[in-house]
């Protein structure tokens, strides 16, 4: 099973603490050694780091761990290959443009007998089921809303419909963001927490590291963190029920539907 990490905030925030524990799962505290990647939204742009090497040993991951990039939305992925060889083009997260904005996607799971028709606007570069699903998802959105992005509620409803059909082919845990919102779908395993005032100290599960968030935040800050399994052992993580799609905005759950 791959590992997913997402962050959605109401003020630009760095992910160094969470990523420190997360990267250890790529070959040190877990057996996922088939590449990793992370994408940070910065305004309308996206800063992406990808490496087909294990994250626990990656010099690029070490750079990211010490690089306090502040972002409202972040998606990271550690790969355990099920479909597609271990190469850079098969490394998540994947990025495409739709409606004049970048969209970022990372998937955990395995889709069987899945060969959706594609219009040609969005095509896979690699050979993973994950990238095909991303292209299919964006293809559907582009066809449904040819004149531009719909209202958030209509977008969420359409995502829920399409995701349900894709998930019928197997495990479809994923994170998706357009820089405004972060969408998370749990097929088997995904959880989240929201850090907000009063802030406290958090201790990582995968590294002996503690961060006192009361020292680095303001009372109005709010940060939602989404992960395959809890990253800390002294905070309350909420499991996302299987079959549930969640929209996060400004560091909080905006909409949830199973």
């Amino acid at each position: 099973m791959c590992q997913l990490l997402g962050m959605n905030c109401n003020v630009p925030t760095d992910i160094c603490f969470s990523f420190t524990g997360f990267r250890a799962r790529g070959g040190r505290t877990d057996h996922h050694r088939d590449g990793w990647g992370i994408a940070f939204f910065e305004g309308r742009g996206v800063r992406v780091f990808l490496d087909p090497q294990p994250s626990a040993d990656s010099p690029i991951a070490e750079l990211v761990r010490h690089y306090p990039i502040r972002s409202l939305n972040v998606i990271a992925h550690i790969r355990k290959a099920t479909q597609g060889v271990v190469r850079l083009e098969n490394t998540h997260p994947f990025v495409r443009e739709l409606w004049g904005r970048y969209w970022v996607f990372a998937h955990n799971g395995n889709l069987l007998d899945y060969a959706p028709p594609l219009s040609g606007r969005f095509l896979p570069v690699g050979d993973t089921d994950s990238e095909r699903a991303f292209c299919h998802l964006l293809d559907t959105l582009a066809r449904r809303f040819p004149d531009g992005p719909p209202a958030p509620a209509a977008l969420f409803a359409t995502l829920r419909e399409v995701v349900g059909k894709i998930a019928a082919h197997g495990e479809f845990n994923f994170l998706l963001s357009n820089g405004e919102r972060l969408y998370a779908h749990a097929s088997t395993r995904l959880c989240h927490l929201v850090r907000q005032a009063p802030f406290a100290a958090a201790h990582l599960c995968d590294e002996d590291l503690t961060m006192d968030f009361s020292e680095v935040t303001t009372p109005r800050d709010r940060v939602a963190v989404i992960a395959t399994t809890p990253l800390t052992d002294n905070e309350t993580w909420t499991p996302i029920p299987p079959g549930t799609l969640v929209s996060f905005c400004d560091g909080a759950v905006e909409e949830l539907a199973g």
Side-chain angles (χ1 to χ4, degrees):
M1 172 181 267
C2 302
Q3 293 278 334
L4 294 170
L5 168 64
M7 183 180 74
N8 170 268
C9 320
N10 67 342
V11 295
T13 304
D14 76 69
I15 200 170
C16 294
F17 175 73
S18 294
F19 185 74
T20 296
F22 183 70
R23 72 168 288 208
R25 298 180 177 184
R28 186 177 305 148
T29 60
D30 215 328
H31 57 275
H32 310 80
R33 299 186 59 85
D34 300 327
W36 70 277
I38 188 167
F40 303 82
F41 280 91
E42 297 182 59
R44 297 180 68 88
V46 177
R47 192 186 299 260
V48 183
F49 299 86
L50 300 172
D51 190 353
Q53 302 302 313
S55 60
D57 306 322
S58 168
I60 301 174
E62 184 67 10
L63 166 69
V64 171
R65 187 171 76 89
H66 293 288
Y67 194 174
I69 300 170
R70 295 187 176 274
S71 176
L72 294 176
N73 288 281
V74 178
I75 290 178
H77 180 271
I78 295 174
R79 186 175 183 225
K80 177 174 169 50
T82 53
Q83 297 185 36
V85 296
V86 179
R87 288 180 183 162
L88 185 62
E89 64 264 31
N90 290 328
T91 306
H92 310 216
F94 303 105
V95 182
R96 295 291 192 281
E97 176 275 331
L98 173 63
W99 302 320
R101 297 196 70 98
Y102 287 116
W103 290 70
V104 173
F105 174 87
H107 166 226
N108 162 26
N110 190 23
L111 302 173
L112 303 175
D113 301 318
Y114 180 68
L118 299 173
S119 71
R121 178 172 177 180
F122 305 99
L123 293 174
V125 175
D127 51 4
T128 66
D129 54 330
S130 307
E131 194 179 15
R132 287 195 300 274
F134 183 34
C135 290
H136 177 212
L137 201 160
L138 293 186
D139 226 5
T140 304
L141 292 179
R143 289 197 309 268
R144 291 280 184 91
F145 306 103
D147 299 324
L155 176 59
F156 184 85
T158 303
L159 283 175
R160 182 186 177 195
E161 175 192 337
V162 179
V163 165
K165 294 176 181 177
I166 298 175
H169 290 269
E171 287 182 272
F172 196 44
N173 306 292
F174 73 76
L175 298 176
L176 170 74
S177 180
N178 62 354
E180 294 182 336
R181 288 169 171 77
L182 191 150
Y183 302 93
H185 179 260
S187 181
T188 52
R189 187 164 53 167
L190 207 57
C191 60
H192 80 280
L193 62 75
V194 174
R195 293 191 181 112
Q196 57 189 347
F199 290 95
H203 180 264
L204 292 173
C205 298
D206 299 87
E207 296 279 1
D208 186 14
L209 180 65
T210 298
M211 170 71 77
D212 187 348
F213 287 101
S214 67
E215 297 178 351
V216 294
T217 56
T218 70
R220 66 177 294 269
D221 293 357
R222 187 170 60 237
V223 179
V225 182
I226 305 95
T228 299
T229 58
L231 290 168
T232 56
D233 53 20
N234 66 335
E235 296 180 289
T236 301
W237 290 76
T238 301
I240 299 176
T244 301
L245 178 68
V246 186
S247 170
F248 293 88
C249 185
D250 292 330
V253 173
E254 178 186 53
E255 195 165 356
L256 181 152

